[in-house]
Amino acid sequence: MTEALNVEQAAARLRQAGSVLILCHKNPDGDTIGCGSALYHALAALGKTAAVLCADPIPPRFAYTAPRLFRGEFEPELVAAVDVAGLQLFGDKGLMPAYSRRVDLCIDHHAGNSGYAQYTLVDAGAAAAAELLCQVIEAMGVELTPQIADCLYTGLATDTGCFRFSNTTARTHRIAARLIEAGARIEALNTRLFATKSRGQMEAERIARSHLEYHLDGRCALIWLDRDETAASGADPSDLEELTSLPIGIEGVKVGLTFRQQPGGSWRVSIRAAHGVDACAIARRLGGGGHLRAAGCELLGTLDNVKQAVLAEAEAVLDAAAEEES
Amino acid sequence: MTEALNVEQAAARLRQAGSVLILCHKNPDGDTIGCGSALYHALAALGKTAAVLCADPIPPRFAYTAPRLFRGEFEPELVAAVDVAGLQLFGDKGLMPAYSRRVDLCIDHHAGNSGYAQYTLVDAGAAAAAELLCQVIEAMGVELTPQIADCLYTGLATDTGCFRFSNTTARTHRIAARLIEAGARIEALNTRLFATKSRGQMEAERIARSHLEYHLDGRCALIWLDRDETAASGADPSDLEELTSLPIGIEGVKVGLTFRQQPGGSWRVSIRAAHGVDACAIARRLGGGGHLRAAGCELLGTLDNVKQAVLAEAEAVLDAAAEEES
């Protein structure tokens, strides 16, 4: 059983520790990296030994958060995890397994946090773990420097789609205001995080959009990109994730599908669903999985066969959802 | 010469008037409509006769702002303009010319406001006129209802690209927080304003993207849409504002241009500039105006002529900026 802490208690534990190892989740996003880095800079400002450990490399787009990375140089008095809801999310690469089973303090905003740490500060009303960590850092008596503000803003902005998603609250905006006053370079950050695409991404998007099709009486929209087109676009395949939000963003569409052919020839299918439709149910029928609103699977075959297979399952799930509603 | 007012003085003038006509700018966007509607609801709450006049229809996506539209039913004691930087922006359709030459009070956030009104409240540091109007409405002693908050949030969110653009300040976020506490339905608004596109918008965007061109050694990117394409797409022309952010979002681009042909045949040019480049300087050389990062003008001629004219000015401004930097 974990013991629940409040902001002040969590801050006190961090202040008491002489050295702190900060753990982020695998496949790191802006919130876990932003929090890990902000906490590192805050602890360093207090003269403590601190470093960040993540099972995967920090994506280059977050390089400016500039934490010290842990390479086993010290034995931490305290192990803290940020934005990590459960043990399986730490991953098992490198030094991680040696520390992820002995987390002292977890700071998180997931309602489903499994309570794996000895002490846990969870606030499911926080839009990002950064919203919570900002309060902890202030309670630690650390001044919000521009560097810390940049890191916290990164978590806040990426987890809220830049204040667009429904998790955004009045407090989220107030903390953004504080971070701007503390010197967060929001113009450069927003440009980097949200507004810049490579020419290759633009070209891949142009091709995918030119393949837009409507099916099932307009309840389903799909786009696709085969491997030759991906190669010709010059885009890095890892930069094409945003394509998956295009079809579901069209008026009236309940299921949005994106088909990306992989280098081996198979088709990676990304399924997005509107409120009331279960994307994961569609994916599961095809051997995949995921969440209620975002799921996926990978299929072999010609594009036409793959499309027909996915559309058939989408139709079944859509019809079931319509029946339930009526 | 106009007389400058502060927030309290502007609020007092509005409180003193028995009836108020509120003018918006032509080709209305979320800020002018949001402000016009918010001010209408605030005045109505004080029991005053008020209505909104705009040379163009209110776009359907802003229908929820629900102002009373002016049809000449009363002779206003006070004529107020919101988010209108100069006389030419009123347009000359319908009843507009009868009132746009006798504006008593202008509330605006454009640094280049021409001072056409008898009294002017301008704050160029406000990200949106709605940021300023929120303070005026509070100074009027009107409670921020959910309806008023929705209208003000519309102006704030649309003029800042949902808090992404560089005009966003700590005050912008604090006002967003106030509006959320006042009941602004940000989930529904953000979905409507930012996450949902009509089939027509998707088609217009597909066409515009297919016209993507790079110029000036990649420092400039442009897209265009002629009036036949706009008509064929089925998109409402007022829903094509988002196109203007596409070219400037490409890596390495310093000036992003969007050319939209108007029904009369002229070309509306939207100019967006990266840090260190003055979009307004480009627009001014072509008879237009705007802000440092976002400006525009309207030109007659063939697409090729218009492109060449704008590219020549963009090159001059880009070269001057590069020289200043070096």
Side-chain angles (χ1 to χ4, degrees), chain B residues 26 147 187 308:
Chain B
K26 65 180 177 179
Q147 173 71 273
E187 180 172 7
Q308 289 319 312

Side-chain angles (χ1 to χ4, degrees), chain A residues 219-250:
Chain A
R219 292 177 297 167
C220 178
L222 68 84
I223 57 176
W224 51 274
L225 203 64
D226 70 29
R227 57 184 162 181
D228 295 339
E229 291 167 332
T230 303
S233 75
D236 185 321
S238 71
D239 286 342
L240 299 179
E241 206 49 43
E242 250 179 79
L243 288 179
T244 61
S245 63
L246 288 177
I248 192 64
I250 303 171

Side-chain angles (χ1 to χ4, degrees), chain B:
Chain B
M1 268 301 281
T2 188
E3 188 180 323
L5 300 188
N6 62 27
V7 165
E8 287 68 30
Q9 291 167 323
R13 297 230 156 241
L14 287 161
R15 279 197 70 93
Q16 281 154 19
S19 62
V20 181
L21 176 62
I22 306 157
L23 307 184
C24 296
H25 65 68
K26 65 180 177 179
N27 298 321
D29 61 8
D31 197 23
T32 199
I33 290 296
C35 284
S37 301
L39 185 53
Y40 161 73
H41 292 297
L43 292 164
L46 292 174
K48 297 180 189 296
T49 301
V52 168
L53 177 62
C54 179
D56 297 305
I58 295 188
R61 59 205 293 250
F62 300 128
Y64 62 86
T65 62
R68 173 182 169 191
L69 294 178
F70 186 65
R71 297 200 168 78
E73 311 88 329
F74 62 91
E75 193 47 43
E77 278 178 38
L78 184 111
V79 178
V82 284
D83 192 42
V84 188
L87 282 176
Q88 77 287 0
L89 297 171
F90 286 108
D92 51 13
K93 284 179 216 156
L95 293 167
M96 187 57 85
Y99 296 96
S100 60
R101 296 304 182 269
R102 45 162 284 209
V103 177
D104 300 296
L105 172 65
C106 168
I107 298 174
D108 187 26
H109 70 124
H110 293 89
N113 186 289
S114 69
Y116 58 85
Q118 191 179 358
Y119 301 102
T120 305
L121 167 62
V122 177
D123 180 351
E131 187 173 321
L132 195 49
L133 184 63
C134 181
Q135 299 167 66
V136 173
I137 288 175
E138 292 197 304
M140 286 164 67
V142 176
E143 194 203 345
L144 291 176
T145 61
Q147 173 71 273
I148 293 174
D150 277 355
C151 294
L152 292 172
Y153 183 86
T154 298
L156 210 59
T158 54
D159 256 27
T160 59
C162 211
F163 311 98
R164 252 176 51 182
F165 301 159
S166 58
N167 56 357
T168 306
T169 67
R171 187 177 66 182
T172 315
H173 279 291
R174 288 229 167 75
I175 288 182
R178 277 227 290 284
L179 297 176
I180 290 171
E181 283 166 349
R185 285 152 281 213
I186 67 158
E187 180 172 7
L189 291 173
N190 288 342
T191 299
R192 186 178 184 118
L193 297 171
F194 303 109
T196 309
K197 291 183 184 176
S198 68
R199 286 189 182 203
Q201 273 175 287
M202 288 296 285
E203 175 62 5
E205 196 172 322
R206 182 191 69 73
I207 299 168
R209 283 170 177 265
S210 75
H211 297 322
L212 174 64
E213 298 172 10
Y214 296 97
H215 292 275
L216 309 178
D217 303 318
R219 292 177 298 166
C220 179
L222 68 82
I223 56 176
W224 51 273
L225 203 64
D226 69 28
R227 56 184 161 181
D228 295 339
E229 290 168 333
T230 303
S233 75
D236 184 319
S238 71
D239 286 343
L240 300 178
E241 206 51 41
E242 250 179 79
L243 289 179
T244 61
S245 64
L246 289 176
I248 191 65
I250 303 171
E251 218 165 39
V253 170
K254 301 286 183 199
V255 172
L257 302 172
T258 306
F259 299 80
R260 284 174 288 171
Q261 194 176 28
Q262 303 303 293
S266 64
W267 289 88
R268 186 168 161 206
V269 185
S270 303
I271 305 167
R272 301 290 178 267
H275 186 79
V277 180
D278 185 353
C280 193
I282 301 172
R284 268 197 312 265
R285 288 155 173 256
L286 298 158
H291 305 275
L292 195 63
R293 295 296 164 75
C297 60
E298 198 159 329
L299 298 174
L300 289 165
T302 66
L303 176 61
D304 275 349
N305 290 345
V306 167
K307 267 197 226 169
Q308 289 319 312
V310 180
L311 285 170
E313 301 304 344
E315 184 167 29
V317 169
L318 277 166
D319 288 349
E323 230 166 72
E324 213 162 278
E325 218 168 71
S326 67

